[in-house]
Amino acid sequence: MSILQVESLVKEYKGKGKDRSNVFKALNGINLSVDSGEFIAIMGPSGSGKTTLLNILSGIDAEYSGIVRISESSISEMTKDELALFRRQHMGFVFQDYNLLDSLTLRENVMLPMLLDEQEVALINAKTDETLSLFDLDEAKNKYPYNVSGGQQQRAAIC
């Protein structure tokens, strides 16, 4: 079963100022299908459109033509609020610099999306502890990101 479908995806950037007639196609007719359980990697040289593609697939960039469906939902038809909720409930991101909040412990960073989703406190605590344990972060869970290794930060971001 396909969890991601991309059809005829095109992303263009227009020049600025006097250069507005200059158009650069970052993505030119991308077609992609990813099935449930499938693992893919997006690779290419700098400037080839990898980040642009990921920004569109995540709903961060909405200025494109083509179709993007995730789990049968067309993200191009969602409002900004619907997209934010969809991302929080259905997507996970691990950024290159991990994007953990320095003012929160690793445990609190893991809890944050569930708190924003207004889940029950007991469920938040159980899921947080289970996930931290799964990623071998029990001993570091009450430490702040700047007090743990890069590997621990990365695992916390995955949690």
Side-chain angles (χ1 to χ4, degrees):
M1 177 179 173
S2 182
I3 59 168
L4 171 66
Q5 290 179 298
V6 177
E7 298 172 17
S8 304
L9 184 61
V10 175
K11 171 65 178 181
E12 296 179 339
Y13 291 102
K14 294 185 176 137
K16 296 182 181 178
K18 294 179 183 179
D19 201 20
R20 287 196 68 73
S21 63
N22 190 12
V23 175
F24 170 72
K25 280 193 177 182
L27 302 174
N28 190 10
I30 301 288
N31 293 302
L32 173 68
S33 180
V34 179
D35 290 335
S36 180
E38 190 173 8
F39 183 87
I40 66 165
I42 300 170
M43 300 174 7
S46 180
S48 63
K50 301 178 300 290
T51 299
T52 299
L53 176 61
L54 291 174
N55 284 341
I56 290 171
L57 296 181
S58 65
I60 292 170
D61 187 343
E63 300 292 323
Y64 61 88
S65 64
I67 297 169
V68 178
R69 280 190 296 275
I70 300 173
S71 299
E72 302 300 320
S73 298
S74 176
I75 65 169
S76 59
E77 297 173 6
M78 294 180 188
T79 66
K80 285 185 179 184
D81 289 343
E82 289 171 334
L83 270 171
L85 184 62
F86 186 81
R87 277 193 296 269
R88 191 167 68 233
Q89 293 178 341
H90 300 284
M91 293 184 178
F93 299 91
V94 180
F95 295 95
Q96 194 166 0
D97 63 358
Y98 313 128
N99 282 7
L100 297 172
L101 299 176
D102 282 338
S103 60
L104 300 178
T105 64
L106 297 186
R107 187 172 196 279
E108 292 165 339
N109 268 284
V110 173
M111 296 173 100
L112 186 59
M114 292 181 281
L115 290 168
L116 293 173
D117 207 28
E118 298 178 351
Q119 293 187 17
E120 295 292 326
V121 173
L123 178 67
I124 292 171
N125 285 320
K127 278 187 161 186
T128 299
D129 291 339
E130 177 185 348
T131 306
L132 287 166
S133 181
L134 180 66
F135 283 87
D136 197 27
L137 289 169
D138 291 315
E139 292 181 20
K141 67 183 176 186
N142 293 316
K143 294 182 180 178
Y144 292 90
Y146 51 84
N147 288 329
V148 299
S149 71
Q152 289 169 313
Q153 289 180 40
Q154 184 179 43
R155 286 181 281 148
I158 292 168
C159 289

